[in-house]
């Protein structure tokens, strides 16, 4: 196609070249005809006598100092120009052809001009016509987007291990995709957009595929980086093209991987530069608000980092559901490993749960890779079965380049520290704010930081009391305090940095904004000092208050160390504890305490 176009173009250029050449030759001939012949100089007397004998054919009249003319013989002559008014009349009376020079020049010039301009116009016309054709073709090509579609892919939710929460969430949507009319009848609006967030290789793409294939609809997969283009407007055009293809399909799952490439927080007030990505993001927002949500189109997006996304993306009607997809815990790793050993010849002595324990912080993708590498080693040796030896070799291949860790000892210290730290947060919450729910504690790092601890504060509270706030500070400090008690003052870690920030923020607002300090009174210190103002006295008061809270929390923990130990051991065993696990441990502990007191 491109070759054909080039051939056609070459032909056109050839024609243009010929036109230009002809016009140049023609004008040169005209020029030569009039100006380049041999010229004889005649005296004015001789000129007059030649007129009298009728030898002069034509005279070119001008205002110049010399006159030019042609004799009947064809010779060209020049003579002095008398510049008399009646010269023309005299010549005409003698039957000499008179050519006004201005006219003559105009004729030559017009001929040359027309021919040349014709050539150039033709050239310009063909060039622009071709260019705009080419450009619009190129633009069309750039702004349409290649997406991979898989309709009959065999992936279903059984191929996804762990991540129960995310799976359940997506499974709900299968029915919506299958029977959107059913929901339409009740006026139910299903989520239009869902963001799956979490570390790479945890099965986000896999789940999106599973959703599409279980619902039996098309799967349109693109990557955010496909929309990052240097040409203005191309990214936005690609978004429109993507949604157009989706609407044509009626029912489908659109999957946008690496959504952060388009949906980064907009740099408000920045000095340009981000105009193009703004345009792309706006196009996405418009398209998402555009469809009514009952058409059977679901947009899934994946990102490693939710916090970098523009808030506009997360508003209702856009990606209003955000589901965390975390690294697999022990149970999930056993499931994933079972999945990838299922159809492989594995030796009898291979112990899945032992391997699962040694693969803390492995993602699903890494576990899959591990089993695949082991299979490759076995195949190379043409061994009958995949053995412990092959898995061992594969293990080091998979973690190659990472910090060298003894496989049997992997992250033992990290795990233990994290387990005690998180147990501290959970135990203090249950002890000080029993009305708050601890919904999950895990030692698997989340996108929000090391370890993971989630607490639900009763949502029906309009105001936070002073006691709530003090307790929240104590909960935040508890992680570090347990580290100090169990591992010693010299072995405390950086794991508490978020906790310290949180504690400082709460305490500072209590004192600066909420008038909750007896020493500093009912004063808003931001008003008094300005936002950036630092007051030494204020710093001292905050510091002292924090130290007091730290000491009180430490005493509470030391008195209840067995509860912390129980939770930490549970975490080391299972890695993730659910609400019932924590409540069971807490109730058991309180029962024992009550007995002792009795
Ligand atoms: P992400 O999109 O989160 O980066 P993928 O879905 O692309 O990760 O995962 C890559 C591969 O890793 C999958 O194709 C699958 O083989 C494996 N994998 C990852 N997570 C899981 C899981 N939870 N269950 C089963 N396989 C998984
Ligand atoms: Zn912590």
């Amino acid at each position: 196609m491109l070759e054909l176009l080039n051939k056609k173009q070459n032909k056109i250029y050839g024609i243009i070249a010929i036109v230009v050449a002809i016009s140049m030759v023609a004008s040169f001939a005209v020029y030569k005809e009039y100006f380049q012949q041999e010229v004889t100089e005649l005296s004015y007397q001789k000129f007059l006598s030649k007129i009298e004998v009728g030898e002069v054919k034509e005279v070119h009249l001008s205002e110049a100092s010399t006159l030019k003319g042609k004799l009947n013989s064809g010779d060209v002559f020049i003579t002095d120009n008398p510049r008399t008014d009646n010269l023309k009349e005299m010549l005409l009376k003698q039957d000499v052809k008179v050519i006004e020079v201005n006219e003559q020049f105009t004729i030559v010039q017009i001929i040359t001009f027309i021919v040349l301009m014709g050539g150039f116009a033709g050239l310009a016309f063909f060039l622009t016509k071709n260019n705009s054709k080419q450009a619009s073709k190129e633009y069309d090509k750039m702004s349409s987007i290649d997406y991979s579609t898989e309709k009959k892919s065999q992936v279903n939710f059984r191929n996804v291990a762990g991540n129960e929460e995310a799976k359940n969430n997506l499974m709900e949507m299968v029915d919506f995709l299958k029977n959107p009319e059913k929901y339409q009848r009740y006026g139910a609006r299903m989520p239009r957009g869902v963001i799956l967030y979490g570390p790479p290789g945890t099965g986000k793409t896999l789940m999106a595929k599973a959703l599409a294939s279980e619902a039996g609809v098309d799967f349109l997969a693109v990557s955010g980086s496909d929309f990052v283009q240097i040409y203005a407007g191309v990214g936005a055009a690609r978004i429109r093209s993507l949604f157009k293809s989706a609407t044509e399909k009626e029912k489908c799952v659109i999957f946008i991987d690496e959504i952060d490439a388009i949906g980064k927080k907009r740099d408000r007030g920045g000095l340009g530069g981000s105009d193009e990505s703004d345009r792309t993001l706006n196009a996405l927002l418009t398209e998402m608000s555009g469809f009514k949500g009952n058409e059977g189109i679901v947009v899934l997006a994946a990102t490693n980092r939710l916090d970098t996304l523009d808030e506009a993306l997360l508003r209702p009607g856009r990606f209003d559901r955000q589901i965390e997809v975390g690294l697999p815990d022990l149970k999930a790793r056993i499931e994933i490993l079972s999945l990838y050993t299922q159809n492989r010849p594995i030796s009898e002595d291979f112990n899945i749960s032992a391997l699962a324990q040694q693969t803390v912080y492995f993602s699903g993708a890494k576990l899959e890779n591990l089993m695949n590498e082991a299979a490759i080693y076995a195949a190379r040796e043409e061994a009958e079965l995949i053995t412990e030896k092959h898995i061992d070799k594969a293990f080091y291949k998979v973690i190659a380049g990472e910090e060298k860790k003894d496989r049997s000892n992997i992250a033992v210290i990290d795990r233990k520290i994290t387990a005690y730290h998180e147990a501290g947060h959970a135990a203090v919450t249950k002890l000080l704010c029993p009305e708050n729910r601890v919904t999950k504690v895990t030692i698997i790092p989340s996108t929000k930081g090391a370890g993971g601890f989630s607490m639900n504060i009763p949502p029906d509270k309009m105001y936070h009391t002073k006691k709530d706030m003090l307790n929240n500070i104590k909960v935040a400090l508890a992680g570090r305090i347990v580290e100090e008690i169990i591992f010693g003052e010299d072995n405390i870690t950086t794991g508490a940095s978020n906790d310290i920030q949180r504690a400082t923020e709460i305490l500072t607002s209590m004192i600066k904004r909420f008038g909750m300090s007896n020493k500093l009174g009912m004063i808003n210190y931001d008003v008094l000092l300005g936002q950036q103002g630092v007051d030494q006295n204020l710093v001292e008061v905050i510091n002292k208050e924090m130290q007091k809270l730290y000491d009180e929390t430490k005493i509470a923990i030391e008195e209840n160390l067995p509860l912390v130990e129980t939770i930490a051991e549970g975490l080391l065993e299972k890695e993730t504890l659910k609400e019932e696990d924590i409540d069971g441990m807490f109730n058991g502990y309180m029962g024992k305490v009550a007995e002792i007191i009795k």
Side-chain angles (χ1 to χ4, degrees), residues 195-410:
I195 289 196
L196 302 170
Y197 67 96
T202 46
K204 298 183 287 294
T205 312
L206 197 63
M207 274 191 269
K209 273 188 197 165
L211 172 61
S213 86
E214 291 221 352
V217 302
D218 271 345
F219 181 67
L220 266 64
V222 294
S223 170
S225 52
D226 296 339
F227 298 94
V228 182
Q229 292 294 324
I230 36 170
Y231 301 108
V234 171
R238 283 190 172 182
I239 295 273
R240 287 190 288 272
S241 144
L242 172 67
F243 278 82
K244 195 163 158 257
S245 332
T247 340
E248 278 161 9
K249 289 187 187 307
E250 284 174 28
K251 287 183 180 185
C252 71
V253 170
I254 298 179
F255 178 66
I256 308 175
D257 205 359
E258 300 175 48
I259 183 101
D260 35 310
I262 341 172
K264 255 199 227 95
K265 276 200 171 69
R266 279 174 285 193
D267 178 18
R268 280 169 229 284
L271 290 173
S274 59
D275 271 13
E276 174 51 13
S277 54
D278 277 7
R279 225 176 306 182
T280 310
L281 176 55
N282 286 336
L284 177 62
L285 296 175
T286 311
E287 291 295 333
M288 288 203 65
S289 320
F291 64 96
K292 288 180 283 309
N294 283 323
E295 287 106 330
I297 298 173
V298 166
V299 189
L300 295 190
T303 178
N304 299 340
R305 299 197 51 194
L306 192 63
D307 56 325
T308 59
L309 294 183
D310 197 284
E311 298 86 33
L313 268 177
L314 310 178
R315 289 207 192 108
R318 279 102 178 232
F319 292 98
D320 41 12
R321 236 189 232 192
Q322 294 114 37
I323 307 175
E324 179 165 14
V325 182
L327 286 173
D329 60 10
L330 186 65
K331 184 165 156 275
R333 290 201 302 276
I334 292 176
E335 281 172 34
I336 295 173
L337 285 170
S338 313
L339 208 60
Y340 293 112
T341 48
Q342 241 167 42
N343 299 316
R344 292 188 161 114
I346 304 266
S347 93
E348 291 275 308
D349 62 356
F350 169 66
N351 183 341
I352 285 192
S353 74
L355 182 60
Q357 267 168 10
Q358 291 152 0
T359 44
V360 200
Y361 312 141
F362 272 48
S363 66
K366 218 160 158 188
L367 291 170
E368 193 274 335
N369 191 13
L370 171 66
M371 291 318 295
N372 189 48
E373 289 294 335
I376 290 172
Y377 280 123
R380 254 185 226 154
E381 283 179 15
E382 294 182 41
E384 199 188 329
L385 296 168
I386 302 172
T387 65
E388 199 61 39
K389 189 183 79 188
H390 303 125
I391 291 171
D392 214 43
K393 261 175 123 176
F395 186 94
Y396 287 106
K397 172 134 197 236
V398 171
I399 63 163
E402 291 174 28
E403 189 188 343
K404 284 273 173 284
K405 280 174 185 153
D406 184 354
R407 179 183 146 189
S408 57
N409 200 25
I410 181 172

Side-chain angles (χ1 to χ4, degrees), residues 329-331 333 357 360 415-427 438 440-444 451-453 563-578 581-582 585:
D329 60 10
L330 186 65
K331 184 165 156 275
R333 290 201 302 276
Q357 267 168 10
V360 200
R415 277 184 98 224
K416 203 169 169 191
I417 292 173
T418 313
Y420 274 91
H421 178 110
E422 299 304 332
H425 289 310
V438 175
K440 187 178 161 191
V441 186
T442 177
I443 56 172
I444 299 298
F453 158 75
L563 176 62
V564 177
E565 300 266 5
T566 309
I567 299 174
E569 275 157 22
L571 280 172
L572 285 170
E573 190 196 327
K574 288 191 180 168
E575 292 178 3
T576 302
L577 296 176
K578 296 193 189 124
D581 301 325
I582 300 280
M585 288 171 183

